[in-house]
Amino acid sequence: MSTGESVSINEKKIDGYIKKLGIEKAVNINVSKIRGELKTKYIGHKIYAFQEVDSTNIIAKFLAGVGVEEGTIVIARSQIKGKGRRGKKWESPLGGIWLSIIVHPEISPQQASLITLGAGVAVTKAIRKLGVDARIKWPNDILIGDKKISGILTEANSKFHTLDYIVVGIGIDSNLDLNSISKKTKIRATTLKDELKRNIDERILIKNLLEEFENIYEHFKNEDFEEILYEWRSLSQTIGSYVVIEQPFGKILKGYVVGINNQGSLILELDNGELKKVISGESHITEISKI
Ligand code: BT5
């Protein structure tokens, strides 16, 4: 089968899927303008933009499954069922950046989780370009001070022990009104609009984000994880802090974070002096304090 035919079969499948979902294309996200300004080799060259979806990650997983091109983006103005990790909700009203990036790296599934750290670096660098002091809280929260501005949800699919695709879902509270999210979430969140006291140009932020992501993804693809970890360490709010970590089955660990290893696990010095490795994806920090 020629490439031409497979592309048209894919496009038919994708059109059918979008029709079945009954979702509207976003007229007010200027996709060609974003693409025109992008200085990337492949990330963001194809963008699917929608008005309102359940979750951009769900659509991205479908697109990844039919084999869309490397670096394809799904973006929506709002999400009804935005997803956080482990079944948590990601509140996604109008005014935020909600997008998913589809990639197919030829690496082992065990290494896939490092892309979350890489995406964290890309988001943090893109936000910092606007002049705010964003930092990363392990493994996937981007904070300004102690308030969350962005979260990342990575979903990977493997076939016969090899990685089929990774969908990196990124949410950034750019211009949203904090009153449009629940009280419980609002007290621990901030927006770029609130930090900078002005509406930000989301197109510039998206452009910066996709360019930073491609830079870091090139390291990831080439298995140059040291570079990602080096950048992650320099942007981390977690290293050098005393933390409380919630593990599966309610186990709690407390200690001082002395570093992160080359699998992306935290190295914690427990109160009794013992060093403990804490694996990302299974554990998360519930409290953090600088000492
Ligand atoms: C995350 O999960 O932080 C991952 C968020 C990923 C969102 C993107 S948006 C595009 C793509 N499509 C999706 O459906 N998801 C991805 P987690 O670490 O589990 O954090 C979830 C917690 O963050 C919630 O329990 C709330 O406490 C908080 N939260 C929810 N919505 C928020 C918001 N808009 N801003 C700040 N914090 C929020």
Side-chain angles (χ1 to χ4, degrees), residues 60-224:
K61 284 194 283 183
F62 173 82
L63 298 182
V66 299
V68 289
E69 68 194 65
E70 183 78 341
T72 296
I73 309 290
V74 181
I75 184 166
R77 295 191 69 226
S78 65
Q79 300 185 112
I80 306 164
K81 294 183 187 153
K83 297 195 288 178
R85 293 176 306 154
R86 286 174 269 120
K88 282 192 272 174
K89 251 177 77 177
W90 181 258
E91 299 187 37
S92 328
L94 285 174
I97 295 173
W98 323 125
L99 64 80
S100 303
I101 307 172
I102 301 161
V103 284
H104 304 89
E106 284 175 10
I107 62 159
S108 78
Q110 289 76 17
Q111 289 163 322
S113 70
L114 282 173
I115 203 170
T116 304
L117 301 186
V121 169
V123 174
T124 308
K125 286 174 87 175
I127 292 178
R128 289 175 77 89
K129 277 197 179 148
L130 298 175
V132 286
D133 185 21
R135 300 214 147 255
I136 311 171
K137 177 180 154 195
W138 182 85
N140 72 326
D141 288 352
I142 315 303
L143 307 183
I144 296 178
D146 59 353
K147 303 257 167 118
K148 186 158 173 173
I149 187 99
S150 169
I152 296 160
L153 174 67
T154 303
E155 298 186 85
N157 189 48
S158 303
K159 266 187 200 155
F160 312 113
H161 308 296
T162 56
L163 196 62
D164 183 19
Y165 63 77
I166 305 180
V167 164
V168 182
I170 298 172
I172 305 179
D173 297 331
S174 44
N175 289 330
L176 65 81
D177 179 352
L178 280 175
N179 292 321
S180 62
I181 58 177
S182 68
K183 267 200 186 133
K184 205 175 100 210
T185 302
K186 179 179 151 180
I187 48 167
R188 290 169 169 268
T190 187
T191 69
L192 288 168
K193 175 169 107 176
D194 283 295
E195 296 296 324
L196 291 164
K197 311 276 180 280
R198 60 174 168 87
N199 270 325
I200 64 131
D201 186 337
E202 290 175 331
R203 236 180 43 229
I204 295 180
L205 180 58
I206 293 169
K207 168 186 151 62
N208 289 343
L209 169 63
L210 298 181
E211 288 172 2
E212 292 292 353
F213 183 84
E214 184 169 283
N215 279 339
I216 211 93
Y217 179 65
E218 284 283 304
H219 290 296
F220 181 76
K221 255 185 7 185
N222 298 329
E223 303 193 18
D224 178 11

Side-chain angles (χ1 to χ4, degrees), residues 19 31 34 60 95 101 109 127 143 148 179 214 228 234 278 290:
K19 253 197 206 125
V31 166
I34 297 176
I101 307 172
I127 292 178
L143 307 183
K148 186 158 173 173
N179 292 321
E214 184 169 283
I228 299 176
S234 72
V278 187
K290 272 273 170 218

Side-chain angles (χ1 to χ4, degrees), residues 240-264:
S241 298
Y242 188 84
V243 298
V244 179
I245 295 191
E246 207 175 90
Q247 293 206 292
F249 311 110
K251 196 170 166 213
I252 300 284
L253 289 176
K254 291 182 185 175
Y256 178 72
V257 181
V258 290
I260 184 169
N261 71 6
N262 56 8
Q263 272 107 46

Side-chain angles (χ1 to χ4, degrees), residues 236-243 255-258 268 288-291:
S236 154
Q237 193 212 53
T238 308
I239 293 176
S241 298
Y242 188 84
V243 298
Y256 178 72
V257 181
V258 290
L268 203 64
I288 192 162
S289 61
K290 272 273 170 218
I291 43 176

